[in-house]
Amino acid sequence: MKLRLLQLLSFLVALSGMLYELSFAHFLSAVVGGTLLQYSITIGIFTFALGVSTILSQHLPRVTFEWVQSILLGTVLASILFFHWIFQEQQEGNFGSWVYVAYVPVFFVGLLTGLEFPILARGLEEKETVQVFAADYVGMFFATLIFPLMLLPQLGLMGSFGVAVGCNILAALLWIWKRRAL
Amino acid sequence: MDLEKESPLSSLAFLVSACSLAYQFLFVRLLSFSVQNEVLVQSVSLGVFLLFVGVGMQLAPRWLKNRNPNQFFFFLEFSLSLFGASVPLFVYGIDIFCILFVDSFSFLAGDGKIFVFLWIPAALGFLTGFELPTLFQLQKKKNFLHLLSFSYFGAIAGALGFSLFLFPRANLGWIGVFLGFLNLCLAVVVAWPFQKQRIAIASMIGALCLYLQLFLYPEIQSAFVKTYVMQFRWTQSTTLKQWWKSLSGLKEVERISSPFQMIDLVPDGFLLANPLGRDFSLFINGQLQFTRDSVLGYHESMVFGAFNLAKEVPARVLVLGGGDGLLAKQLLRAGVEFIRMVEIDPKMIELAKRNPSFLDLNGGVFQDSRVEVVEEDAFVHLISSEEKWDAIFLDLPFPTNYDLLKLYSVEFYERVRNRLTDNGFVTFDAPVWAERSELKSSERPFPQDTIFQTLKEAGFSTPFIFGPKEPFFFARKDGASVRFSPEKLPKNLSGKTYYNLVLLEDIVFDLDGIEPNRILKPQRIKW
């Protein structure tokens, strides 16, 4: 039961993390241009952030899951507002290198997503860790399938953000509700 | 190399991960030419790659048991180097196979084609997944997270290094071989102290294979381009030998890759079988733009049709796209006083200015003082310039990807409308057209419906469509109704043009529930 729950949580946070990054990448290609380039840069920054958080997590033994989740949600909501503003400004013809500030949330969301897994895997045996880790990969894979095939064509960019935020909130609620069992 | 120390191992983790990611992006670049939904290609192949990295990592401890990690690492990097460098060959090879054998209406012809290629990122990911656990075995002070973080840092180096540094400078075949050599060197460095003789022989063979790829790549690229230009189909009577023979009888197609698009130039006399030899044609991103024979009917009907509908020849015309200069030639012929052409791709302008076949068709309009050329993104130009135009002609590539789809969006058409004088008009080629009778209603929205709705949303209240053979959209800023006045058409137009100048009034647009195409909520416009 405990393992299943952790797997589900790991799946959900990986799904929402990847959806955030894909939506960011698509937003950047809408404002900066060059879809392939923007996706590559976003994926690069994302993995870089995962690397930083891997190191960071060793030095932050007391950070809790709800702490990371709330900061992540706050960051994402703030960056969606920020993106909306950038897009409006750009449509008005206000250009400038500050468009590139839009890469900053990519890094932070990657960083916070990367912190989630080590917290979930805390205190698990090696075999269990591997199983939770596998759910993480499946979550990411699932995100890369539904984003281009369903979310972007059906719901658009803001709708995709919405689904990602939804998964994130779901994970947070699940954690709060079932915390005692863990 | 002294692998007992931390820093060489960290650098190894960094470099091998950079190479793997670079192969992955190389694959994505190649595939997005044939499966033109870049978001789908980028996203799904990343997902498959990551998934198989996971699978490889899970299996690694079992496979590594009782094996020498140095040897295993050599084997791993050796395979990755040969496989990664062959990615361009695989992609072109499978592409040729698809053109020859896959029915153009089947599931595998559109976006579904991606499934035929997904074993490539799967294999790349699988091999990559073994790298870290193997390096971990070599590590004395066991610290997996340290290695993992360096491998993540390598990923950003691979992603940025490929996209920003390698891709703009070299062709994809060369990049594959370059990465392969780098990978092979890493393999040798690790295994050298253990088995000098065998490693030397193996790496020599590997290097030779990589070297051969440099010569194979142009061959297979040329075979691919010819096969798709010809749209060769496999019939029961053809054999592989016949196909190859018919390819070698063809002249070379010139393939020019720019940061914006893939340009293929089919030369005159391409087909020996064509007695006139007038085959000169241009493909952008694999879509036919024009042939020497279609040019006249197309650009003539666009220019003279629109001017006839507008009842006057506009003085100042903005052309967005159209770097080939063919539209400008017709505009000058119709008596326009000033044309500004906004073309994003300098390679296209260069071709149109220098290539003899192009010059033959566009009559060297770039030398004309009435024509001004601006090298800029059409969207950026619309936003940043203040001038008003009597007419705006859009001569843009088909919306085959999300970048181009922006040029068919509400936001774009709103800018176009703002840049028009009060009775100005916009006209453009209907990029894709579906005959209503040929489609099932389940295939809605039809491409023309989406464009129609998008134009309306942008403030063009009454768009028109003309041209039974080559359909064009036409919309006035003031929303006035238009008619053709055939008696006012010049007498020296081609027959095809006269035939095409008919309003398609019987098209009833069913716009119920059709969403306009917006940048942040894109609607794909496709067959």
Side-chain angles (χ1 to χ4, degrees):
Chain A
M1 188 58 215
K2 179 185 160 192
L3 185 64
R4 285 272 170 274
L5 191 63
L6 282 177
Q7 279 183 319
L8 182 63
L9 280 170
S10 168
F11 174 84
L12 281 176
V13 296
L15 177 70
S16 70
M18 194 50 140
L19 283 181
Y20 287 142
E21 295 301 333
L22 291 172
S23 312
F24 284 157
H26 201 81
F27 173 80
L28 283 164
S29 43
V31 295
V32 186
T35 305
L36 281 182
L37 179 64
Q38 296 312 325
Y39 272 73
S40 323
I41 293 179
T42 308
I43 292 164
I45 296 179
F46 183 47
T47 39
F48 176 75
L50 289 180
V52 174
S53 64
T54 309
I55 296 178
L56 213 58
S57 69
Q58 293 167 289
H59 303 287
L60 297 171
R62 270 191 240 159
V63 179
T64 61
F65 190 70
E66 45 280 50
W67 191 83
V68 174
Q69 286 281 299
S70 18
I71 296 190
L72 181 57
L73 270 174
T75 313
V76 167
L77 294 176
S79 32
I80 292 175
L81 288 178
F82 175 59
F83 281 180
H84 240 289
W85 176 71
I86 286 188
F87 185 69
Q88 297 300 336
E89 287 291 304
Q90 201 209 24
Q91 289 296 309
E92 297 305 317
N94 300 331
F95 286 93
S97 42
W98 50 263
V99 168
Y100 295 96
V101 178
Y103 289 116
V104 176
V106 177
F107 175 77
F108 279 105
V109 170
L111 191 72
L112 290 163
T113 310
L115 282 178
E116 287 169 328
F117 177 73
I119 297 176
L120 288 177
R122 242 178 235 166
L124 290 179
E125 290 166 25
E126 199 188 319
K127 206 178 151 200
E128 288 173 322
T129 311
V130 167
Q131 281 169 322
V132 177
F133 202 41
D136 197 75
Y137 273 99
V138 174
M140 284 210 265
F141 176 63
F142 193 62
T144 61
L145 279 187
I146 60 168
F147 180 76
L149 292 173
M150 284 170 56
L151 299 185
L152 189 59
Q154 304 291 329
L155 304 176
L157 190 57
M158 289 304 155
S160 310
F161 265 123
V163 171
V165 170
C167 291
N168 207 327
I169 293 177
L170 193 66
L173 289 178
L174 205 64
W175 173 267
I176 293 168
W177 181 43
K178 287 279 187 182
R179 186 167 31 181
R180 297 236 172 92
L182 296 174
Chain B
M1 192 194 284
D2 186 7
L3 289 176
E4 306 287 303
K5 292 214 180 90
E6 273 307 311
S7 50
L9 265 187
S10 311
S11 350
L12 266 180
F14 179 88
L15 284 172
V16 292
S17 134
C19 275
S20 292
L21 252 276
Y23 291 133
Q24 166 68 11
F25 286 119
L26 174 70
F27 167 73
V28 167
R29 271 284 164 187
L30 280 157
L31 190 57
S32 60
F33 294 135
S34 61
V35 178
Q36 299 203 320
N37 185 344
E38 289 170 336
V39 173
L40 181 79
V41 169
Q42 183 76 270
S43 174
V44 174
S45 44
L46 174 73
V48 171
F49 178 80
L50 287 177
L51 189 69
F52 278 82
V53 168
V55 173
M57 271 185 160
Q58 305 268 321
L59 290 177
R62 232 176 296 159
W63 285 31
L64 273 163
K65 228 178 231 169
N66 308 325
R67 281 206 174 88
N68 175 347
N70 290 77
Q71 247 176 21
F72 192 76
F73 190 77
F74 178 80
F75 168 74
L76 203 61
E77 295 308 305
F78 185 80
S79 335
L80 251 178
S81 123
L82 289 193
F83 183 78
S86 327
V87 164
L89 305 188
F90 289 136
V91 173
Y92 277 133
I94 300 172
D95 244 337
I96 292 176
F97 177 85
C98 286
I99 298 173
L100 289 177
F101 294 102
V102 176
D103 182 38
S104 53
F105 292 102
S106 80
F107 165 69
L108 290 178
D111 283 353
K113 198 171 171 189
I114 191 174
F115 291 104
V116 193
F117 293 90
L118 285 180
W119 62 275
I120 298 176
L124 280 175
F126 187 69
L127 290 171
T128 305
F130 281 96
E131 285 175 338
L132 272 191
T134 317
L135 286 176
F136 183 60
Q137 295 266 313
L138 291 170
Q139 206 180 24
K140 215 169 190 189
K141 235 173 43 197
K142 299 291 180 203
N143 186 348
F144 189 70
L145 288 180
H146 185 77
L147 278 183
L148 186 64
S149 53
F150 270 89
S151 140
Y152 280 140
F153 298 149
I156 194 174
L160 298 187
F162 174 80
S163 303
L164 299 175
F165 187 74
L166 290 175
F167 177 67
R169 284 178 178 73
N171 80 46
L172 295 170
W174 188 91
I175 295 175
V177 172
F178 169 77
L179 293 170
F181 266 115
L182 185 60
N183 229 326
L184 193 64
C185 292
L186 297 175
V188 172
V189 162
V190 173
W192 187 249
F194 296 88
Q195 280 188 325
K196 292 204 167 68
Q197 212 170 9
R198 273 203 212 167
I199 297 297
I201 294 170
S203 48
M204 225 84 101
I205 295 172
L208 191 68
C209 290
L210 289 175
Y211 187 62
L212 282 178
Q213 304 241 6
L214 278 181
F215 299 95
L216 267 173
Y217 176 77
E219 286 299 316
I220 194 154
Q221 175 173 293
S222 139
F224 164 71
V225 176
K226 286 173 182 174
T227 310
Y228 103 73
V229 166
M230 293 294 297
Q231 282 301 309
F232 268 114
R233 296 285 306 154
W234 201 260
T235 53
Q236 299 240 300
S237 54
T238 28
T239 61
L240 209 60
K241 216 174 154 188
Q242 279 169 326
W243 165 70
W244 188 251
K245 232 180 120 184
S246 46
L247 280 193
S248 43
L250 298 171
K251 275 197 182 179
E252 284 304 313
V253 175
E254 193 181 348
R255 173 157 262 217
I256 300 148
S257 116
S258 82
F260 307 100
Q261 53 203 0
M262 189 64 107
I263 304 168
D264 289 315
L265 270 186
V266 181
D268 273 321
F270 174 66
L271 276 182
L272 292 174
N274 183 345
L276 293 172
R278 293 159 59 84
D279 308 314
F280 175 66
S281 44
L282 171 80
F283 287 75
I284 290 183
N285 296 337
Q287 306 281 338
L288 179 64
Q289 301 298 305
F290 65 77
T291 66
R292 188 187 280 280
D293 293 327
S294 76
V295 161
L296 202 55
Y298 178 89
H299 293 93
E300 248 184 23
S301 21
M302 188 171 184
V303 170
F304 289 93
F307 288 2
N308 191 268
L309 286 176
K311 301 275 175 286
E312 61 183 5
V313 174
R316 288 161 46 81
V317 175
L318 177 68
V319 176
L320 300 177
D324 48 30
L326 299 172
L327 190 61
K329 183 187 174 188
Q330 294 300 329
L331 286 169
L332 289 180
R333 183 179 157 211
V336 170
E337 287 164 22
F338 178 72
I339 303 168
R340 176 181 294 161
M341 237 163 73
V342 180
E343 165 67 48
I344 193 170
D345 193 349
K347 290 216 168 154
M348 194 68 222
I349 298 174
E350 191 59 29
L351 270 179
K353 277 184 178 170
R354 307 260 177 272
N355 184 294
S357 304
F358 262 105
L359 283 173
D360 185 25
L361 287 179
N362 66 29
V365 285
F366 291 89
Q367 306 295 328
D368 197 299
S369 59
R370 289 168 290 176
V371 178
E372 180 194 16
V373 182
V374 179
E375 263 180 43
E376 198 173 22
D377 181 73
F379 213 132
V380 172
H381 189 79
L382 283 177
I383 294 176
S384 56
S385 70
E386 297 288 327
E387 290 126 295
K388 298 262 179 182
W389 302 88
D390 302 316
I392 298 182
F393 279 69
L394 311 179
D395 192 6
L396 305 162
F398 295 147
T400 47
N401 60 39
Y402 283 100
D403 280 334
L404 291 170
L405 206 51
K406 276 161 66 181
L407 305 179
Y408 292 82
S409 63
V410 175
E411 290 85 351
F412 184 76
Y413 292 139
E414 277 173 351
R415 308 288 144 207
V416 167
R417 197 165 179 277
N418 283 341
R419 297 269 74 83
L420 284 173
T421 51
D422 289 338
N423 52 2
F425 68 87
V426 60
T427 188
F428 59 96
D429 165 37
V432 276
W433 189 260
E435 288 298 336
R436 209 153 290 263
S437 54
E438 287 172 11
L439 285 173
K440 294 175 225 103
S441 57
S442 61
E443 286 170 38
R444 291 184 63 209
F446 304 132
Q448 59 267 36
D449 296 351
T450 305
I451 293 182
F452 208 87
Q453 186 73 303
T454 308
L455 278 171
K456 286 196 134 185
E457 192 72 19
F460 289 104
S461 55
T462 40
F464 289 87
I465 297 182
F466 68 92
K469 190 117 182 78
E470 280 287 357
F472 294 96
F473 278 91
F474 178 94
R476 285 177 67 111
K477 186 179 185 178
D478 55 18
S481 208
V482 292
R483 297 246 128 251
F484 274 116
S485 322
E487 71 285 354
K488 291 201 179 133
L489 282 171
K491 299 288 171 251
N492 53 353
L493 302 181
S494 75
K496 276 185 199 162
T497 304
Y498 289 117
Y499 176 68
N500 203 37
L501 298 188
V502 180
L503 278 181
L504 303 180
E505 286 166 302
D506 54 337
I507 294 180
V508 185
F509 283 95
D510 176 15
L511 299 179
D512 257 5
I514 302 283
E515 292 221 32
N517 172 37
R518 292 178 181 279
I519 294 183
L520 295 188
K521 197 162 189 316
Q523 301 293 321
R524 289 193 72 201
I525 300 168
K526 57 175 182 180
W527 286 269

